[in-house]
């Protein structure tokens, strides 16, 4: 019997105010440039995605919770607009901190995952899967645009949806708080 496949997606979500600000950009890209993939997803920073059955889901959540206990909340600083071949995005100024977190997380979660993709270029997409014409027009208009904002990261969110040819909405299956419990325990141990 073949188990059904699910797409898992681990993300960081900005606070409400930053989400509302970025959604304005996403909606503008949909209206002005016809980017159909701009405003269908809420603003987020992608951490990891993979395809697999859900038979190890509880272990994955347990590992993520353990990881969250070792993480301290931190601030993400957004700064300017960047691009990939088919994507225009809001750039993250303090990438090194996020890349370190993603690297540590990959070591913790990778054994439970089948071919995971860890996203080591942190950003928040405004529009993706753009045609060359859409990209050229948008980049010409936005390449010098300045966006400066920041938000506190206190958790990551694990999403899941069935892997089919039809696009399904992601469901939230776990919110992993950053509690720094293990960091505090380590500091206490050094004092004695």
């Amino acid at each position: 019997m073949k188990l059904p496949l699910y797409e898992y997606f681990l993300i960081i979500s900005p606070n409400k105010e930053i989400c509302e600000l970025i959604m304005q950009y996403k909606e503008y890209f949909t209206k002005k440039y016809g980017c159909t993939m701009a405003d269908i997803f809420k603003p987020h920073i992608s951490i990891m995605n993979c395809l697999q059955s859900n038979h190890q889901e509880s272990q994955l959540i347990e590992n993520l919770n353990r990881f969250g206990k070792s993480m301290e909340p931190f601030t993400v600083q957004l700064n300017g607009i960047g691009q990939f071949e088919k994507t225009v995005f809001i750039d993250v100024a303090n990438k090194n901190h996020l890349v370190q977190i993603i690297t540590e997380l990959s070591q913790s979660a990778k054994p439970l995952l089948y071919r995971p993709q860890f996203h080591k270029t942190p950003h928040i997409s405004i529009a993706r899967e753009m045609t060359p014409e859409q990209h050229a027009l948008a980049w010409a208009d936005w390449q010098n645009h300045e966006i400066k904002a920041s938000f506190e990261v206190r958790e990551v969110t694990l999403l899941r949806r069935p892997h089919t040819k039809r696009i399904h909405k992601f469901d939230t299956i776990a919110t992993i708080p950053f509690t720094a419990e293990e960091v505090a325990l380590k500091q206490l141990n050094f004092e004695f």
Side-chain angles (χ1 to χ4, degrees):
M1 180 169 118
K2 189 174 178 182
L3 295 171
L5 278 179
Y6 290 91
E7 182 178 0
Y8 289 88
F9 198 31
L10 188 67
I11 63 169
I12 292 173
S13 297
N15 62 32
K16 183 180 176 185
E17 294 78 22
I18 300 296
C19 277
E20 288 173 356
L21 171 70
I22 296 170
M23 281 308 294
Q24 291 174 15
Y25 289 103
K26 289 169 135 319
E27 289 164 1
Y28 182 84
F29 270 63
T30 298
K31 290 176 188 163
K32 170 96 182 205
Y33 308 111
C35 301
T36 56
M37 296 297 286
D39 63 355
I40 62 170
F41 295 109
K42 292 181 182 177
H44 64 274
I45 297 174
S46 300
I47 302 298
M48 180 276 302
N49 67 296
C50 67
L51 286 177
Q52 65 184 52
S53 70
N54 65 350
H55 74 279
Q56 288 187 305
E57 186 176 288
S58 60
Q59 277 185 288
L60 174 60
I61 293 169
E62 186 178 312
N63 276 18
L64 290 172
N65 278 316
R66 195 169 28 258
F67 176 77
K69 289 178 182 178
S70 71
M71 297 305 305
E72 294 184 62
F74 64 96
T75 301
V76 166
Q77 298 165 342
L78 304 176
N79 186 11
I81 301 288
Q83 67 164 333
F84 299 129
E85 183 180 347
K86 297 179 179 183
T87 302
V88 173
F89 60 84
I90 298 173
D91 205 6
V92 173
N94 54 337
K95 283 182 180 65
N96 291 343
H97 186 71
L98 278 166
V99 170
Q100 179 184 352
I101 289 169
I102 292 166
T103 301
E104 289 175 21
L105 183 60
S106 71
Q107 294 166 355
S108 167
K110 201 172 192 173
L112 295 173
L113 304 173
Y114 177 71
R115 293 187 182 176
Q117 291 182 311
F118 289 91
H119 303 270
K120 295 195 176 180
T121 308
H123 65 278
I124 298 178
S125 294
I126 295 173
R128 59 187 187 91
E129 296 184 26
M130 301 170 77
T131 66
E133 296 79 18
Q134 291 169 331
H135 188 274
L137 284 171
W139 187 243
D141 290 346
W142 288 85
Q143 65 184 331
N144 297 316
H145 188 79
E146 289 195 25
I147 296 175
K148 289 195 184 281
S150 62
F151 61 93
E152 191 77 13
V153 176
R154 298 185 173 284
E155 63 191 22
V156 290
T157 305
L158 183 62
L159 308 172
R160 179 187 69 197
R161 70 179 175 187
H163 179 65
T164 63
K165 292 182 182 181
R166 294 182 336 144
I167 294 179
H168 289 271
K169 181 182 172 242
F170 278 102
D171 294 317
T172 299
I173 59 167
T175 300
I176 314 302
F178 290 170
T179 62
E181 290 172 34
E182 290 184 12
V183 173
L185 285 173
K186 285 178 188 174
Q187 289 171 348
L188 281 173
N189 288 337
F190 287 132
E191 291 177 15
F192 295 106

